[in-house]
Amino acid sequence: MRLLVTGGAGYVGSHLVWEAVDAGHDVVVLDDLSTGHAEVLPDIELVVANLLDRDRIHAGVKRLKPDAVLHFAAKSLVGESMRRPDLYFRNNVVGSMNLLDAMREADVGRFVFSSTAAVYGEAETCPIEETSTLAPINPYGTSKKMVEELLAAYADAGWVNSVALRYFNAAGADAKGRTGEDHDPETHLIPIALMAAAGSGRRLKLFGTDYPTRDGTCVRDYVHVSDLADAHLRAVNWLEDGAGAQRINLGSSEGYTVREVLTTAGDVVGTPLQFDEVERRAGDPAVLVASHARAKAVLGWSPERDLRTILETAWRWHSRASSGHAASTTTT
Ligand code: UFG
């Protein structure tokens, strides 16, 4: 199939690109390179454009006429979204609308959307099912929820069928070393912990030790980014016959505390990780664990890679590329 991947130079998007290429698909990436890394996509057709450039997006989708669009391009920092909500609504909501309208005009009817566990906010149940109340607590989560609502309306109107995939904690790196996590600024636990172990000079802070959990630290559901990529390809296949606007959690249904993650990371690295215990970080719910029953029922998907594999692949990436993609590409 011919797949158009927006945000394909980013973390999750670039893993999807490589999984899709491995599966024999023809991939075109559309990315404005504001946070993505073109170096991880050698030999992949890359259109550098921003989704707010409506005319270019319409012309691009019309020219490429893909069989399906996978939409990763978005702003995704929770903290930044609190300070600059305008950027999140404009980029994530208006940008998605431009893309969907370009698809309508070009008669492209299959859409896979990169959504997030942040649509749930402080979840009432554990594990979280897709039917749980959606009550995002930041503009990032609200912007993703708004796009999910757009998708329901566009499906009802008979314009675009879609699958929104709600990621829990994406982590890990491509087993073949072609891409990995490289955010600037980096805010996520696993890359910060491993970069500190690789000698980044940044000391790891453990945020909050007084949560009502088994060891006082937050519980999260970590899912390997290549498993996420696999779920996207399954979603594209599902859309060959499937209609409507599906919403599906992507998590492992298993939660680990921050301390458990750091202990396993120490095993993988070969030396215990050093960290400082500090106050809670604002906005962190105590426990976020997915039910992935719907992913299994609809897509036949369950994650194949466990926490250790997540940490091993991420460690290979960070220990080789401790200063990011630039360092990695000189060694590949
Ligand atoms: N943590 C630390 N130290 C750090 C970074 C994180 O102790 O330096 C802790 C956090 O407090 C949290 C856990 O590690 O308890 C995981 O934090 P991450 O920042 O790695 O991930 P989040 O759970 O905050 O974020 C995830 C997704 C977001 C999504 C959010 C919804 O990555 O996209 O869940 O709450 F918006």
Side-chain angles (χ1 to χ4, degrees):
M1 271 190 266
R2 186 170 179 75
L3 304 179
L4 175 61
V5 182
T6 77
Y11 174 44
V12 185
S14 63
H15 285 80
L16 175 278
V17 168
W18 284 117
E19 294 285 327
V21 167
D22 288 349
H25 296 294
D26 173 20
V27 178
V28 180
V29 169
L30 190 150
D31 199 300
D32 68 359
L33 298 180
S34 56
T35 56
H37 305 272
E39 321 82 89
V40 297
L41 304 174
D43 307 325
I44 305 283
E45 184 178 345
L46 171 66
V47 178
V48 180
N50 185 286
L51 290 171
L52 296 175
D53 189 344
R54 201 172 185 281
D55 293 345
R56 278 200 72 198
I57 299 308
H58 277 248
V61 174
K62 199 168 171 185
R63 175 178 70 83
L64 296 165
K65 194 86 171 85
D67 296 302
V69 175
L70 297 104
H71 179 36
F72 296 88
K75 293 217 153 275
S76 61
L77 296 173
V78 170
E80 181 184 60
S81 81
M82 309 285 282
R83 294 188 301 275
R84 290 296 310 271
D86 56 323
L87 295 180
Y88 280 70
F89 292 117
R90 196 171 301 112
N91 275 274
N92 297 0
V93 183
V94 179
S96 297
M97 253 189 106
N98 287 345
L99 181 61
L100 286 162
D101 288 338
M103 289 174 60
R104 271 177 68 197
E105 203 176 84
D107 204 17
V108 177
R110 286 187 232 159
F111 189 75
V112 180
F113 177 57
S114 179
S115 191
T116 170
V119 295
Y120 295 111
E122 303 267 2
E124 296 153 344
T125 54
C126 183
I128 303 172
E129 292 181 355
E130 288 83 351
T131 48
S132 302
T133 308
L134 301 188
I137 53 172
N138 50 63
Y140 167 60
T142 305
S143 72
K144 293 285 183 172
K145 176 174 175 276
M146 287 169 76
V147 177
E148 288 194 6
E149 283 165 7
L150 271 176
L151 292 176
Y154 277 47
D156 284 347
W159 292 336
V160 174
N161 293 315
S162 59
V163 180
L165 297 170
R166 295 173 177 164
Y167 316 154
F168 280 65
N169 286 62
D174 178 50
K176 296 182 184 161
R178 296 170 292 189
T179 185
E181 192 162 9
D182 187 1
H183 296 119
D184 184 19
E186 186 54 80
T187 60
H188 293 115
L189 175 67
I190 290 178
I192 290 176
L194 296 179
M195 285 192 290
S200 69
R202 176 172 170 181
R203 188 144 169 109
L204 174 64
K205 293 183 181 140
L206 194 169
F207 297 130
T209 54
D210 59 349
Y211 286 97
T213 60
R214 52 187 175 262
D215 64 17
T217 65
C218 289
V219 172
R220 292 289 181 274
D221 183 339
Y222 296 88
V223 57
H224 196 289
V225 65
S226 299
D227 282 327
L228 294 182
D230 173 47
H232 286 74
L233 293 181
R234 288 169 184 264
V236 170
N237 290 336
W238 182 84
L239 284 165
E240 282 203 60
D241 304 314
Q246 274 283 355
R247 290 138 179 211
I248 297 180
N249 286 343
L250 295 182
S252 69
S253 303
E254 235 182 290
Y256 292 94
T257 67
V258 176
R259 285 191 201 282
E260 287 164 352
V261 171
L262 296 179
T263 302
T264 310
D267 285 351
V268 166
V269 167
T271 175
L273 298 195
Q274 306 295 313
F275 55 86
D276 299 319
E277 296 183 5
V278 301
E279 291 297 299
R280 292 183 180 196
R281 183 172 69 177
D284 279 342
V287 181
L288 279 178
V289 177
S291 157
H292 77 279
R294 188 182 283 181
K296 203 166 177 182
V298 176
L299 304 178
W301 179 89
S302 295
E304 287 180 357
R305 299 155 181 91
D306 61 7
L307 179 65
R308 197 174 183 90
T309 307
I310 287 173
L311 288 161
E312 283 168 354
T313 53
W315 175 237
R316 273 203 295 281
W317 172 257
H318 287 294
S319 53
R320 187 185 58 174
S322 54
S323 56
H325 287 90
S328 80
T329 47
T330 59
T331 60
T332 48

